[in-house]
């Protein structure tokens, strides 16, 4: 996923207003949050992948 240009980054207020729609843990300590309405995604092989929120958030230590 590409980063948004700095002028298109959501503000903290916009993020706080969103619903946490999906949460999962990746390798080690990675945490993924999908905020806002979910959109179904397809993998390259045509199978369903993880849904993506309007604001995907990744956190790792």
């Amino acid at each position: 996923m590409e980063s948004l240009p700095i002028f298109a980054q959501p503000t903290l207020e916009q993020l706080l207003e969103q619903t946490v729609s999906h949460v999962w843990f990746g390798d080690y300590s990675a945490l993924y949050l999908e905020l806002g309405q979910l959109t179904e995604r397809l993998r390259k092989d045509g199978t369903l992948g993880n849904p993506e929120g309007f604001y995907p958030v990744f956190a790792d230590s």
Side-chain angles (χ1 to χ4, degrees):
M1 187 170 133
E2 293 182 17
S3 296
L4 296 173
I6 192 73
F7 58 85
Q9 294 289 337
T11 64
L12 185 56
E13 278 184 11
Q14 288 173 311
L15 294 177
L16 291 174
E17 293 172 355
Q18 299 299 313
T19 301
V20 176
S21 302
H22 191 76
V23 177
W24 72 94
F25 293 94
D27 296 334
Y28 305 101
S29 60
L31 170 69
Y32 298 89
L33 301 169
E34 299 294 342
L35 305 178
Q37 184 174 351
L38 293 178
T39 302
E40 294 296 330
R41 293 183 5 183
L42 293 178
R43 295 183 179 125
K44 291 179 183 178
D45 65 3
T47 61
L48 281 177
N50 287 327
E52 183 176 49
F54 194 75
Y55 295 109
V57 178
F58 167 78
D60 192 12
S61 62

